[in-house]
Amino acid sequence: MIIGAGAIGGTVGAILARAGVPTVLVARGRHAEVLATSGITLRTPDGTFHTAVTAAGRPEDVRLTDRDVLVFTTKTQQLDAAVQEWVDQPVYGPQGVVGAAGDRLPAMTALNGVAAEEKALRYFARVFGICVWLPAVHLEPGEVIVRSWPLAGQFHIARWPASASTPDDAALLTAVAQTWSAAGILVRTPDDVAPWKYNKLLSNLGNAVGALSADDSDTGEVVAAVRREGENVLRNAGIPFISFETSKAARVDGPSIRPIPGWKSAASNSTWQSLSRNTGNVETDYLNGEIVRLAHRHGTTAPLNAALARAARSAVRDGLGPGRYSAAQLAELLGMSAVAGAQD
């Protein structure tokens, strides 16, 4: 069950469906209607593919069994509502209902940030964190732009927390790794996914920068400063994370972004997509805001990340879409006077 069939969920669900893996994509509104009637369209560097999928608009539209796996691929700010919808759904066996989803089924969280897993643990007994590297864009109903093909993405998956892992978990992850990797999502199964997710958190601190800045802005120094602040906060909090050198090496055999015919490559991270679609919310408070939370919790501050999160919230309230600042304006907004002055 792919719950949240946007850029990540739509890609995973379509790839599994193309490989013959029984898969249901759960979506809302017009997107759900298109999936149900016309299937999903994947625009890739190697062409456009149309795939018939099984789609649902709500939990009541499906009949869960003990063989199901729930994969949550919403944004973090949407996760609470999603898990609350699914946790108490009945799970059926040969003789009828055998329990509720929260007790019987594994829940996998393929979301940015590090808050999703703890949220899910309030509802599900078996939670698996997923560190996601999958360059995809969802802007139109029924369509996903997948920027790497035929290998679309790379996931690191492990039980959350690692200390709760069991032999049954290992068997499940082995099956998932084999099935998903063969389909086009390369799966690695480290003992602990948390350090990988904190590495991805640091990487995603630049999402708001890319979403707020104009396409031709040179924001490298701003992103570097925001990430340095994030690394310092994690070190001060005693939280281990995979280095960028290690994560880069791990992606050597992973997805490789290539041009897509007919699609203008631009900033396309998840925050940019939310602003472009005017969804009314962004996940910045669980990315840059997570760094701010950790800083406050340990008696320090993270002013760059705090200012960036504030700017993203303002962009959502104003509804003006992405690309509203030059690099110099963004640096000034974050209080980086030296950078702003150098680019004037």
Side-chain angles (χ1 to χ4, degrees):
M1 300 293 165
I2 309 296
I3 302 166
I8 303 304
T11 301
V12 174
I15 285 176
L16 294 180
R18 285 172 58 83
V21 179
T23 305
V24 176
L25 279 73
V26 182
R28 299 287 193 186
R30 179 60 181 159
H31 186 45
E33 294 174 4
V34 174
L35 293 179
T37 58
S38 304
I40 193 167
T41 298
L42 300 182
R43 294 179 59 188
T44 82
D46 291 342
T48 299
F49 305 99
H50 303 283
T51 301
V53 296
T54 301
R58 55 180 188 161
E60 291 77 14
D61 295 336
V62 302
R63 182 183 174 92
L64 296 174
T65 75
D66 267 336
R67 292 183 59 81
D68 287 321
V69 176
L70 306 182
V71 184
F72 290 93
T73 52
T74 65
K75 297 289 193 302
T76 305
Q77 70 272 17
Q78 300 160 343
L79 181 63
D80 284 330
V83 293
Q84 288 167 14
E85 281 188 328
W86 286 86
V87 60
D88 296 321
Q89 290 302 306
V91 177
Y92 292 86
Q95 307 302 319
V97 175
V98 294
D103 298 325
R104 304 286 300 197
L105 300 184
M108 296 189 172
T109 48
L111 291 79
N112 288 332
V114 293
E117 291 72 28
E118 294 299 318
K119 285 175 173 285
L121 282 172
R122 291 180 171 87
Y123 305 93
F124 288 87
R126 291 175 72 198
V127 173
F128 297 80
I130 303 181
C131 180
V132 176
W133 284 310
L134 197 160
V137 181
H138 167 59
L139 297 175
E140 299 294 333
E143 179 179 281
V144 177
I145 297 165
V146 187
R147 303 178 67 191
S148 176
W149 197 263
L151 181 64
Q154 179 175 331
F155 290 175
H156 283 71
I157 312 179
R159 179 73 184 265
W160 189 285
S163 59
S165 183
T166 69
D168 286 344
D169 297 332
L172 172 63
L173 290 176
T174 296
V176 167
Q178 291 174 347
T179 304
W180 293 20
S181 296
I185 305 292
L186 180 62
V187 172
R188 304 296 192 201
T189 56
D191 292 336
D192 189 357
V193 74
W196 292 94
K197 296 212 67 166
Y198 277 103
N199 166 272
K200 183 71 185 305
L201 171 65
L202 292 171
S203 178
N204 288 143
L205 296 181
N207 283 15
V209 176
L212 294 171
S213 59
D215 290 345
D216 60 352
S217 295
D218 182 6
T219 58
E221 291 188 55
V222 176
V223 171
V226 169
R227 288 177 178 168
R228 280 196 302 271
E229 183 178 82
E231 289 188 21
N232 290 336
V233 168
L234 292 185
R235 291 191 182 99
N236 183 61
I239 296 174
F241 57 91
I242 299 296
S243 69
F244 283 115
E245 292 78 11
T246 300
S247 64
K248 182 178 180 180
R251 294 199 300 271
V252 168
D253 58 351
S256 177
I257 294 176
R258 293 185 285 132
I260 295 175
W263 186 71
K264 179 181 178 295
S265 179
S268 57
N269 65 60
S270 56
T271 304
W272 179 88
Q273 293 177 55
S274 294
L275 293 181
S276 296
R277 291 162 53 202
N278 195 24
T279 60
N281 54 68
V282 290
E283 61 185 346
T284 312
D285 287 335
Y286 292 100
L287 302 176
N288 307 86
E290 179 66 17
I291 294 299
V292 175
R293 184 190 73 83
L294 288 169
H296 291 169
R297 195 173 194 280
H298 292 271
T300 61
T301 60
L304 299 182
N305 281 277
L308 195 53
R310 189 160 46 247
R313 291 192 295 270
S314 177
V316 171
R317 286 194 299 269
D318 294 345
L320 299 179
R324 61 189 301 183
Y325 297 105
S326 68
Q329 289 171 329
L330 195 57
E332 183 176 1
L333 185 69
L334 269 58
M336 299 173 57
S337 57
V339 174
Q343 296 183 356
D344 283 339

